[in-house]
């Protein structure tokens, strides 16, 4: 878990564009592998941005489908109301191809949506004239890196030159998303990961008695960041705190969902930065969990609302680090998201650039 892939049991993952920097997370391994041409494509799991943020940091395409569009059967659950599987690819066309393969209803997943699956490649190449793009002012506030803001705003202007119409909108409850997310996600993690007790499956560390076996298994089986989130979630769900934290966070989630519903009455998609900064240095935030959690500020609301979103490369900083443009769509409207992302991608050569690997 985490926004940097520094907490993996297999060791830290490094960013192919600058090996002193993180690849993002938590699907940073998938994004780094695609960026480094170690594979044609990969899958990631996105709970609060874990596909899109590493895609932005590594200069590749990352798509989080609508919640329920892709089966979660076989996924180790983190937060069941937020998790979604999606593709990490070298370009938008490959993302559409891979989504064609993995999308669809699955009776093995009770949250899998029984809705029709179109051919997502069918919209690629269609022009975007007349489509309306919402640009939420809350995503360009204090704290965003100047180069990131400039590149994303330039991407919006380019979409306008392709015939789309950008309009400023507001998603007023964005500022509460991080707090709500880190209550809901950790609470669900606490519940989901309680099953890893060494009894039925997974790691088992022998102990003197049953309780000792539980404690040793969970002590050795979970890393520091996972333990931190289990503890936070257990606290939020505990007697006397449930209403103050978990219930209140669910109410905030509803408000965030309504923000998107209202916005999509007047726009076709929403464009934002994928991350407020480019990739940061390894070790830079590992001792400050709050700063680490704030790196998800641009992606978390999408998971809380359950809507689809894609990150596509939109340029590079002066230091040569990739920056991502996030395009957010209506529920089960991945077609429009992919159509606009592909139009932007084909008007540039950002996605063709490769890191120099030594």
């Amino acid at each position: 878990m985490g926004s940097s892939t520094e907490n993996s049991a297999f060791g830290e993952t490094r960013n192919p564009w600058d090996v002193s920097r993180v690849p993002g997370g938590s699907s940073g391994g998938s994004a780094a592998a695609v960026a480094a041409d170690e594979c044609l494509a990969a899958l990631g799991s996105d709970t609060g941005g874990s596909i899109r943020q590493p895609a932005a940091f590594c200069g590749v395409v990352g798509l989080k489908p609508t919640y329920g569009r892709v089966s979660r059967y076989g996924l180790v659950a983190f937060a069941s109301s937020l998790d979604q599987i999606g593709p990490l690819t070298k370009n938008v066309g490959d993302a559409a191809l891979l989504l064609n393969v993995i999308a669809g209803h699955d009776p093995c997943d009770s949250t899998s949506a029984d809705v029709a699956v179109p051919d997502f490649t069918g919209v690629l190449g269609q022009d975007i004239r007349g489509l309306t793009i919402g640009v939420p002012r809350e995503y360009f506030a204090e704290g965003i890196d100047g180069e990131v803001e400039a590149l994303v705003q330039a991407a919006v202007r380019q979409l306008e030159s392709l015939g789309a119409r950008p309009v400023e909108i507001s998603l007023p409850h964005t500022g509460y998303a991080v707090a709500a997310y880190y209550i809901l996600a950790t609470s669900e993690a606490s519940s989901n990961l309680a099953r890893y007790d060494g009894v039925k499956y997974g790691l088992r560390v022998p102990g003197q008695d049953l309780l000792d076996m539980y404690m040793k298994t969970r002590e050795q089986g979970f890393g520091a960041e996972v333990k931190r989130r289990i503890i936070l979630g257990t606290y939020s769900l505990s007697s006397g705190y449930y209403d103050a934290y978990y219930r209140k966070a669910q109410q905030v989630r509803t408000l965030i969902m309504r923000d998107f519903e209202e916005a999509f009455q007047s726009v076709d998609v929403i464009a934002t930065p994928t991350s407020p900064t480019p990739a940061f240095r390894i070790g830079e935030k590992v001792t400050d969990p709050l700063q680490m959690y704030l790196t998800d500020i641009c992606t978390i609301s999408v998971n809380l609302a359950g809507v689809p979103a894609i990150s596509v490369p939109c340029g590079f900083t002066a230091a040569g680090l990739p920056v991502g443009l996030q395009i957010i769509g209506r529920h089960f409207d991945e077609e429009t998201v992919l159509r606009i992302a592909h139009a932007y991608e084909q008007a540039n050569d950002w996605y063709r650039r490769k890191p120099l690997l030594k």
Side-chain angles (χ1 to χ4, degrees), residues 48 139 173-174 177 256 260 296-307:
Y139 283 72
H173 295 96
T174 299
I256 291 170
F260 280 100
D296 297 332
I297 194 166
C298 296
T299 53
I300 277 173
S301 293
V302 168
N303 297 81
L304 292 171
V307 293

Side-chain angles (χ1 to χ4, degrees), residues 68-123:
R69 172 68 91 180
V70 177
S71 172
R72 297 184 301 112
Y73 182 66
L75 170 68
V76 176
F78 167 14
S80 298
S81 73
L82 302 165
D83 298 340
Q84 187 61 91
I85 298 293
L88 284 141
T89 58
K90 302 176 192 298
N91 55 60
V92 176
D94 285 355
L97 279 170
L98 193 49
L99 186 59
N100 277 351
V101 176
I102 63 176
H105 177 63
D106 181 3
C108 293
D109 176 7
S110 63
T111 65
S112 175
D114 191 5
V115 296
V117 177
D119 176 4
F120 295 106
T121 65
V123 297

Side-chain angles (χ1 to χ4, degrees), residues 31-322:
V34 173
D37 281 337
E38 294 179 9
C39 59
L40 293 175
L43 295 180
S45 57
D46 194 312
T47 305
S50 293
I51 290 172
R52 291 158 289 146
Q53 188 246 28
F57 280 10
C58 292
V60 298
V61 172
L63 172 65
K64 184 207 89 72
T66 305
Y67 181 79
R69 172 68 91 180
V70 177
S71 172
R72 297 184 301 112
Y73 182 66
L75 170 68
V76 176
F78 167 14
S80 298
S81 73
L82 302 165
D83 298 340
Q84 187 61 91
I85 298 293
L88 284 141
T89 58
K90 302 176 192 298
N91 55 60
V92 176
D94 285 355
L97 279 170
L98 193 49
L99 186 59
N100 277 351
V101 176
I102 63 176
H105 177 63
D106 181 3
C108 293
D109 176 7
S110 63
T111 65
S112 175
D114 191 5
V115 296
V117 177
D119 176 4
F120 295 106
T121 65
V123 297
L124 304 184
Q126 294 181 8
D127 70 53
I128 61 172
R129 283 178 289 187
L131 295 179
T132 305
I133 299 174
V135 183
R137 64 179 69 97
E138 290 82 6
Y139 283 72
F140 297 89
E142 182 181 354
I144 187 173
D145 179 88
E147 288 184 284
V148 170
E149 180 174 9
L151 288 168
V152 172
Q153 293 284 16
V156 172
R157 290 193 296 272
Q158 183 153 31
L159 288 169
E160 184 176 18
S161 74
L162 295 172
R165 184 171 66 90
V167 296
E168 185 179 88
I169 63 170
S170 177
L171 298 171
H173 295 96
T174 299
Y176 303 102
V178 172
Y181 171 85
Y182 277 102
I183 290 172
L184 297 173
T186 58
S187 296
E188 293 186 23
S190 171
S191 176
N192 276 322
L193 297 179
R195 73 191 71 178
Y196 290 92
D197 55 10
V199 176
K200 290 185 177 180
Y201 46 76
L203 177 72
R204 175 183 291 194
V205 180
Q208 295 180 350
D209 54 32
L210 183 63
L211 180 59
D212 190 42
M213 186 271 287
Y214 283 160
M215 294 177 68
K216 288 181 177 177
T217 297
R218 294 175 68 79
E219 167 64 26
Q220 297 181 35
F222 293 128
E225 180 60 28
V226 176
K227 290 175 185 173
R228 179 183 291 118
R229 297 190 186 202
I230 291 172
I231 291 168
L232 287 169
T234 303
Y235 180 81
S236 297
L237 294 174
S238 60
S239 177
Y241 297 99
Y242 179 92
D243 285 344
Y245 293 104
Y246 186 78
R247 185 169 178 270
K248 185 64 68 176
Q250 288 284 31
Q251 292 172 331
V252 171
R253 181 180 191 173
T254 299
L255 295 176
I256 291 170
M257 293 173 70
R258 288 175 180 169
D259 284 350
F260 280 100
E261 290 169 0
E262 184 173 335
F264 283 127
Q265 290 178 10
S266 58
V267 301
D268 295 297
V269 297
I270 296 169
T272 77
T274 307
S275 172
T277 68
F280 47 89
R281 294 193 180 277
I282 290 173
E284 182 178 329
K285 301 180 187 292
V286 73
T287 59
D288 190 343
L290 182 57
Q291 286 302 310
M292 185 75 80
Y293 294 169
L294 287 172
T295 63
D296 297 332
I297 194 166
C298 296
T299 53
I300 277 173
S301 293
V302 168
N303 297 81
L304 292 171
V307 293
I310 195 171
S311 178
V312 291
C314 68
F316 292 82
T317 67
L321 299 173

Side-chain angles (χ1 to χ4, degrees), residues 17 56 59 147 151-152 155 312-318 320-325 344 348-351 353:
W17 291 93
E147 288 184 284
L151 288 168
V152 172
V312 291
C314 68
F316 292 82
T317 67
L321 299 173
V323 172
L325 166 69
Y344 173 77
N348 298 277
D349 69 347
W350 306 125
Y351 74 102
R353 300 192 185 185

